[in-house]
Amino acid sequence: MYLIDAKSQAVNDLSSLLNRRPSMTLLSGQICVLSHCVRIVLLEKDVECTVDFLPVGGDPSRLVEHNPYGETPTLVDRDISLYDTSVILEYLDERFPHPPLMPADPITRAKTRLMISRLNRDWLRPICELGDTLPLNPPAELRKSIHDGLIALSPLFRDQPFFLGPEYTLVDTFVAPLIWRLPALGIDLPKQAAPIMEYGSRLFARPAFRDSLSEQEREMREA
């Protein structure tokens, strides 16, 4: 996967990069948490895709051309443009089946979709609405919801390495960007949440996660 920062496209090897530009392009926000989920999956599956980081406050016309809602993430694959993060990720999992990130049995697949829907509705979509610049400054209600919710989830990881058990799935690709953003959201979890923070560390250690970070996202942990 290739990462192209809209502010630094004048790099010396730009011409050679464009000559071998993949047919698939992800239009991504600089710190968009849902775009981050898609970037992780692209790297986990080793998909050749250009990630085009859209400049903050830039002209949205290019995005609207592919997405009537003008939102990131938007995936352009030849003649099809996809939006809605869950749609994009299930498309990628079906088109690039190895490694599989959705469970095989229908009951667990349904539980996976339900959990992703809840994460999006309760936490990730509200984070996206905070904008694409730092600091994020979430409202107190959202900060408390994430804080208390992660504490409640923490015991789950005392006996299993990933959200649904022993296997890494799409649910983990949604939770990892959330845990990464806790310092930027002003959320400090107590010692009782140590299992979920250790779970986060396992996710951060994956090469796909490390390579998925934009420059701005790296700053969330370096500050």
Side-chain angles (χ1 to χ4, degrees):
M1 184 172 69
Y2 308 110
L3 301 183
I4 298 181
D5 190 317
K7 296 181 179 179
S8 60
Q9 289 190 355
V11 292
N12 294 333
D13 60 347
L14 178 60
S15 58
S16 61
L17 178 61
L18 292 176
N19 288 335
R20 57 188 177 91
R21 187 183 182 99
S23 62
M24 186 180 292
T25 300
L26 175 68
L27 302 177
S28 172
Q30 303 276 355
I31 60 171
C32 170
V33 65
L34 295 177
S35 295
H36 195 180
C37 299
V38 178
R39 283 182 257 131
I40 293 171
V41 171
L42 287 167
L43 285 159
E44 287 285 350
K45 291 179 172 290
D46 197 23
V47 177
E48 289 192 357
C49 177
T50 297
V51 177
D52 204 342
F53 289 108
L54 302 180
V56 177
D59 183 2
S61 59
R62 183 173 174 222
L63 183 57
V64 173
E65 178 183 350
H66 299 286
N67 182 338
Y69 301 102
E71 299 173 343
T72 57
T74 297
L75 184 71
V76 182
D77 186 10
R78 297 183 177 87
D79 297 328
I80 186 172
S81 297
L82 299 174
Y83 42 91
D84 186 289
T85 310
S86 295
V87 172
I88 293 172
L89 295 188
E90 289 209 36
Y91 171 78
L92 291 172
D93 200 51
E94 292 174 0
R95 184 172 174 196
F96 306 97
H98 302 290
L101 295 178
M102 280 291 282
D105 68 283
I107 292 178
T108 310
R109 288 173 74 90
K111 290 180 178 179
T112 299
R113 291 188 177 104
L114 182 60
M115 179 54 63
I116 289 173
S117 176
R118 292 190 62 185
L119 289 168
N120 275 328
R121 182 171 181 172
D122 294 346
W123 296 339
L124 301 186
R125 178 54 59 185
I127 291 174
C128 280
E129 293 171 356
L130 299 176
D132 216 19
T133 57
L134 296 173
L136 291 173
N137 293 326
E141 183 179 1
L142 176 59
R143 188 183 294 114
K144 185 177 188 303
S145 174
I146 296 172
H147 177 276
D148 294 352
L150 291 180
I151 291 174
L153 286 172
S154 191
L156 186 68
F157 302 98
R158 288 175 181 158
D159 301 313
Q160 62 188 48
F162 300 113
F163 204 101
L164 296 180
E167 301 296 330
Y168 182 89
T169 69
L170 280 183
V171 179
D172 301 296
T173 70
F174 280 84
V175 180
L178 171 64
I179 298 177
W180 181 263
R181 282 161 172 72
L182 291 182
L185 291 165
I187 297 173
D188 185 19
L189 295 181
K191 291 183 178 179
Q192 70 192 85
I196 201 167
M197 297 307 294
E198 292 168 1
Y199 159 66
S201 296
R202 288 193 294 275
L203 298 179
F204 302 159
R206 296 175 73 87
F209 184 88
R210 296 198 305 266
D211 293 343
S212 72
L213 294 165
S214 68
E215 180 180 348
Q216 291 82 355
E217 286 163 344
R218 292 183 189 279
E219 292 174 357
M220 292 178 179
R221 291 276 173 156
E222 292 174 356

